[in-house]
Amino acid sequence: MLWVDKHRPSSLTALSYHGSISQRLESLAQKPESLPHLFFYGPSGSGKRTRITALLGAIFGSSANRLKLDQRTFTTPTGRTVEIHMVTSPHHVELSPGDAGNNDRFVIQDVLKELAATKNIRSSVANMDKDSQQADAAAEIKVVVLNQVDRLSKQAQAALRRTMEKYAATCRLILCCDNPSKLIAPLRSRCLGIRVPAPSITEIVGVLNAVAQKENLTLSDAFAEKLAKESNRNLRKALLMLEAAKVQAGGNQLGADQILPSTDWELYISQLAQDITNEQSPSRLMAAREKLYELLVNCIPATTILKKLTGELISSLDDSLKLEVLEWAAFYEHRIAMGSKEIFHLEAFVAKFMAIYKKYLNDMFADDF
Amino acid sequence: MSSSQPQAPKRLSWPLSLDTTTSNESKPSSRKSSNTRVSFEDDSSSKDVMWVDRFTPRSSKELCVAPKKVKEIRNWIEDALKHRENKLMVLVGSPGIGKSTTVRVLANEMDLDVLSWNASYVPRSHATFQSNTVSVQQTSAIDSFRDFLQHSGTGFSSLQMSGEDHSASRRESIILLEELPNLHGLEAARRFREMMSHHMSRSQAPTVLIFSDVSEGKHRPDDLEKLIDPTVLYSSSASIRQIHPATKPQMKKVLDRICKQTKCKVSEGLLEELHFRSGGDIRYAVMNLQVHVPGSSPRSSSKTIIGNGRDVKLSTFHALGKLLYAKRKEENGKTILAFNPDNTLERSDLGIRNSLRFLEYHSVDFFTDIADLSCAFDLYSDAASLLDHPDWSRSDTSFMEPYAASVAGRTVAETNKNPAPRKFRQFSTPKIFDVLRKRRENQHLFHQLERKVAGMHLSMSNAIGQASSFNTDTLPYLRTIAPNDVNPHVDNLYSITGQPALSRDHQRNETDKILEDQTAILEMDDIVDYDTDGSGNGMKPQMDQPTSHLPPKAKVESIDYKADNCKNDPASVSPCEPEIIVIDD
């Protein structure tokens, strides 16, 4: 089991940072019958889902951890069937409706309807939990956790809006995604928004040290800080890096001079950035295109590629060009987000950068003489 | 294709004649005189008949197909009947050049029955006679086709099986497949392939398949492989023969003959124009002749051809070549484009979406200046975003297509101020399709992997959803942490990033290999004349043909699809200049 999963806190009290959020969730868990719909958002690797799981545990007790993986098949009105995997416990269902693609709204409606129609058998829960009175109240409601709601189509979000109110008596929704702006405003206003910010460097260092201690690892402070910085304050990434570094080091000592494990695709993109800064020509663009293809084949999202590439390009750029390049990067990222033909926009950006940079070099050359 | 259909009415009256569309049955008079001169039916009775039907060739001499080719086909049929080893011949060629007619005429001369299937064929077992009415059970076309193959595979027509004419039942027959059942859908195609393989293994009668799904005279091997299993198609028992469009003298001969028969006079110019317009399609030429000849048409004595001639459908490469080379011409002192950009994409057989990918993929090679190229890519990006605006994704998006096509069509012509020197370039399918397909596969693999990793730890429920964070964050480290889990599933970028020097070589090798493959395909498509090697193995050059790069000049000729007609007759003009595809400096 990966350390990320192994050392994940399972209760609200065990959470090591964002104390105020934990307190708030704690108080919400006290009165499950008045639990509002919740909307967790924040950058990836900040602990949104850890908090959701912990909250469910606090509300329903240990039975919320009796999970099983279900595969469900839905039939759309047009007769198409969609297969969705979901994780279920006696009290909640967790699914990622974006998996259903265009048919996501049927999936959401079906799941909510079905949940609302059935009720828990109270006794089975009551016997198990220490605090049976709270569990009684809790058993009245069911929770649907929707992951990656930013991938929901507009239609599905509109459908959700009505369904949320209709089944509010028995069903609570917990939505979770990175970027709240992809959720339509009516949905946001129906939920209690909980922003989970990325942990600070010191918080990450704290977690890293705690994990290192549990794993009998000697972790130097300098290296821990390096990891935290390199991870972009993404705790999941930091922990994975720690584990990878440990495997690479081969021992239980991680000194300050330990090489940072880097991701292959990031290395690859920085190579690509170097390539296109070194030479600007159609043939170089062909080479760059091959690299872009390689990245896409490896399922790196186009927006991620563009973002990382821009970052790499900007770092070595003259200040006078930064603004223009950034502007185009934003322009093309917007286009990628709007449509489905990402490669056009990626290549157009690379060509645009080459053109700008070459003009800059030529002008400089002309000035010198 | 089926220009020879004097038996068409016979076919329609089928259930009573039980599908014997044997050429002899329908033309008893011509059997005796098959090798002598043509016997045309009485003019009075055939006044209303289309000339195409009226002047269908009755002997192999009248055929508008190269005599060499006719002889080959005749030899093949003879061999097939003698040894029963040759089972299948595929005749490939554009429509209307006389493929089916050749087979029918030859069968007639060789005293063979021609068995052919059409959609209204119903096997005898399904038809029951009740007094005077015939009730026919509904069967799907593909079932009916299977029954046809089963019946005809015995080598005798079903009518003769019923025992009217015992002496004739010994006559051999040949199966002619011109019309095929609807093969849309994988299941139907698979069944059809099985049927054909089965048929080939047991059929007594040689089978001729007419395949006219060609673009600019050539077929795509894939299309044919969809119909017939490659193992059968490229085995020794099958052979593929290409029929070329009629050359000018051939067509002139036929048209002259018709003119003589009908006692009308046409100018030389009209004949030439007919040939040019028809592009070797003899059926089209004859039809047009009938319309334009004085007396036979209401509009008498028109000297020139009305209308625009056949709509030329541009093949993908042709259309792309036009746009990418962006030839200009002088007119009234101004330099203008030698083509209409809007028209060109419209006529190409790819949709605008695919064309755009093709254009974008191949554009780079035509530019020398990165600033120009950047402008071009901007325009492509514009066109791409015109094509998928999210708000319109559910409704009709096609109204944006003309705009996108217009933008894309003009891109190179507008932006390429410093074009690369003209040279031969290979157009291949953009790699992006491969990339997208592979990405889907990988996504699936990653997803499985994610599930496997999460399987031990459900509470985090990584098992659901396809978080891209798994690909970008978790997976790279997972390779280090648990290499045994990951490596067998997916190749990773480390193979390239790890050794940058090696990687470039590696990539170049890869492109070289692709280039070689493409050359091989080109050779297979264009250069290998299925007839010259005579063995009927023309379709297997993947192994035999050297995959070396041919000098550009050689390709110029190879791509000209009329090349070997030109050799026979230097005066003939190919109807369509291949000027676009290949330009040598």
Side-chain angles (χ1 to χ4, degrees), chain B residues 41-53:
Chain B
E41 288 141 69
D42 191 2
D43 259 10
S44 61
S45 72
S46 59
K47 255 273 151 28
D48 303 329
V49 179
M50 296 285 282
W51 282 8
V52 196
D53 294 337

Side-chain angles (χ1 to χ4, degrees), chain B residues 102-175:
Chain B
T102 308
V103 176
R104 286 185 193 280
V105 165
L106 283 177
N108 193 10
E109 288 179 3
M110 297 163 76
D111 224 19
L112 299 173
D113 285 344
V114 175
L115 307 177
S116 70
W117 180 83
N118 67 25
S120 57
Y121 174 88
V122 179
R124 280 168 62 217
S125 53
H126 287 235
T128 47
F129 290 86
Q130 290 173 341
S131 59
N132 278 337
T133 59
V134 182
S135 75
V136 175
Q137 225 175 304
Q138 269 318 118
T139 46
S140 75
I142 196 155
D143 285 333
S144 134
F145 186 76
R146 185 194 57 215
D147 288 336
F148 164 76
L149 283 184
Q150 269 166 7
H151 279 282
S152 51
T154 56
F156 304 105
S157 75
S158 44
L159 180 65
Q160 283 149 352
M161 293 283 282
S162 71
E164 277 176 19
D165 184 354
H166 282 281
S167 62
S169 69
R170 246 168 264 128
R171 278 170 32 134
E172 315 234 38
S173 58
I174 180 166
I175 302 171

Side-chain angles (χ1 to χ4, degrees), chain B residues 346-359:
Chain B
E346 201 176 286
R347 277 204 209 151
S348 87
D349 42 10
L350 287 171
I352 164 69
R353 279 150 213 277
N354 286 335
S355 299
L356 192 60
R357 292 214 187 268
F358 269 83
L359 274 175

